[in-house]
């Protein structure tokens, strides 16, 4: 069985949680690069099939080679494409978009979710791990009717990562500023999980610096 680095292992655990909600189904690994996450999902029976996409041919070839050499040729498909262009999303799919900037994630989701029927949207889960602009991703998700099921913090080689898991309800809602910046589920876990507490403290340090040039962040910090 493949051993994943901490960040990918945290994402994999969220795939397992999504599978628990949805039952058997596919994993769509957007920006799959090396293909390690997809391989782990197949090995652990967390995906009936995987579809890997990457916008660049070289990473897509890496995923394809890994999956085929590991014996999963018939249960995997690798596409060179932008986001989920050319992939038809189905009920039961778990969509993973990890290791990319928040604006790229929003762009991919906007295009992928746009024409999708409500009954399909309501029967998939999203697992997102933005490298930056997580506040913008959270706003997009709330505006577009995605409910936060979980936010998990991990620390890999001394860098914090936040992994978000969501499902579509179609009911848009507003997040408070603190929820936008710190994460609604991270805040619920405050005082209950030492790594989340460490992450929230780290974010406060980052936001304190950013607040010098950003009125909204300053207001958020002053609001407690
Ligand atoms: C830093 S890697 C992350 C790989 C993997 N998802 C992970 O979390 O370890 C980002 C990958 O996403 C791909 N990528 C970036 N933008 C993309 C897009 N719009 N559609 C598909 N792939 C994209 C890049 O080519 C790269 O291979």
């Amino acid at each position: 069985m493949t051993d994943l680095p901490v960040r990918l292992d945290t994402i994999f655990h969220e795939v397992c949680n999504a599978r628990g909600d949805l039952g058997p189904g596919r994993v769509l690994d957007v920006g799959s690069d090396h293909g390690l996450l997809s391989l782990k999902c197949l090995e652990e029976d967390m995906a009936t099939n995987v579809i890997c996409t990457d916008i660049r041919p070289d990473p897509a070839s890496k995923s394809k080679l890994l999956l085929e050499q590991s014996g999963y040729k018939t249960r995997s498909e690798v596409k060179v494409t932008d986001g989920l262009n050319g992939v038809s999303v189905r009920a039961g799919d778990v969509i993973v978009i990890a290791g990319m900037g928040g604006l790229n994630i929003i762009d991919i989701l906007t295009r992928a979710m746009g024409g999708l029927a409500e009954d399909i949207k309501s029967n998939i889960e999203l697992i997102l791990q933005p490298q930056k602009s997580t506040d913008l991703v959270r706003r997009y998700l709330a505006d577009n009717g995605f409910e936060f099921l979980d936010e998990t913090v991990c620390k890999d080689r001394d860098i914090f990562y936040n992994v978000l898991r969501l499902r579509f309800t179609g009911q848009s809602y507003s997040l408070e500023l603190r929820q936008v910046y710190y994460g609604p589920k991270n805040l619920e876990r405050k005082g209950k999980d030492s790594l989340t507490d460490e992450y929230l403290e780290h974010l406060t340090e980052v936001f304190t610096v950013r607040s010098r040039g950003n009125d909204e962040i300053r207001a958020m910090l002053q609001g407690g």
Side-chain angles (χ1 to χ4, degrees), residues 5 7-8 11 29-37 53-60 62 79-85 96-101 104-105 107-108 111 129 131:
R7 179 185 62 86
L8 283 175
I11 294 167
D29 185 359
V30 182
S32 58
D33 195 356
H34 35 68
L36 280 172
L37 177 73
T53 77
D54 208 289
I55 200 163
R56 293 184 295 132
D58 285 356
K62 268 194 273 172
K79 286 175 179 284
V80 178
T81 191
D82 183 350
L84 283 164
N85 287 358
V96 181
I97 314 179
M100 286 182 217
N104 202 3
I105 291 177
D107 177 47
I108 291 168
R111 283 181 285 122
Q129 184 264 301
Q131 295 289 85

Side-chain angles (χ1 to χ4, degrees), residues 87-141:
V87 177
S88 51
V89 177
R90 291 187 204 150
D93 285 346
V94 176
I95 299 177
V96 181
I97 314 179
M100 286 182 217
L103 292 176
N104 202 3
I105 291 177
I106 291 170
D107 177 47
I108 291 168
L109 285 177
T110 304
R111 283 181 285 122
M113 296 295 138
L116 217 55
E118 299 268 310
D119 61 323
I120 296 179
K121 271 202 232 179
S122 311
N123 284 292
I124 60 175
E125 286 194 14
L126 304 180
I127 297 171
L128 310 176
Q129 184 264 301
Q131 295 289 85
K132 56 184 179 181
S133 311
T134 311
D135 52 322
L136 300 181
V137 175
R138 291 197 187 97
R139 270 201 176 107
Y140 167 86
L141 293 165

